[in-house]
Amino acid sequence: MSRGLYAYAITKDRSLDLAGPWMIGHRGLALVVAEVELGLFAGLEFEEATEDSPLAVLARYHDAVVRAVFEHEPVLPLRFGTVLDGIDAAVRLLSARHEEALAWLDRVDGRREWGVRVRAAAPAPVDLDALSGTAYLA
């Protein structure tokens, strides 16, 4: 099976203990990566997404790594499923948009992410026999 470097996020090049993923630094930036078997991603696009499906497990882990970095440093999350050929590709990625990435990291430094969930309540059942014609049309 073939291997690659799974890229989670770009952050500042400072020492972090991430218990698994590690960081590849380049000119003040770091790419948070982990070695991965490419076979893990085979067929995910055809899989039914359930809470315990491989796709859901991988997506939750991706989110957990990004959040772990975000607890200590500003972070620019990468898309789920970003896999690179190796360290040279990681350095090229950090080099390609170096100034822009540094500017964005400075911009989000000290900020927090907020999330809002809206859930629609199920409407109460209506007794249609008790409604007048006008009430029904309203």
Side-chain angles (χ1 to χ4, degrees), residues 14-82:
R14 298 189 184 121
S15 180
L16 292 177
D17 181 17
L18 298 174
W22 71 93
M23 295 173 31
I24 297 172
H26 177 70
R27 294 177 46 214
L29 292 177
L31 188 65
V32 180
V33 299
E35 199 168 330
V36 67
E37 289 287 340
L38 298 181
L40 287 174
F41 300 97
L44 290 180
E45 66 273 17
F46 303 113
E47 178 182 295
E48 181 179 333
T50 62
E51 192 167 320
D52 59 346
S53 68
L55 176 60
V57 170
L58 289 169
R60 277 195 303 274
Y61 187 72
H62 177 99
D63 183 64
V65 170
V66 171
R67 287 177 187 276
V69 176
F70 188 54
E71 287 297 315
H72 305 283
E73 294 294 336
V75 66
L76 303 176
L78 296 175
R79 286 183 184 216
F80 171 77
T82 301

Side-chain angles (χ1 to χ4, degrees), residues 78-90:
L78 296 175
R79 286 183 184 216
F80 171 77
T82 301
V83 179
L84 305 170
D85 290 338
I87 293 174
D88 289 341

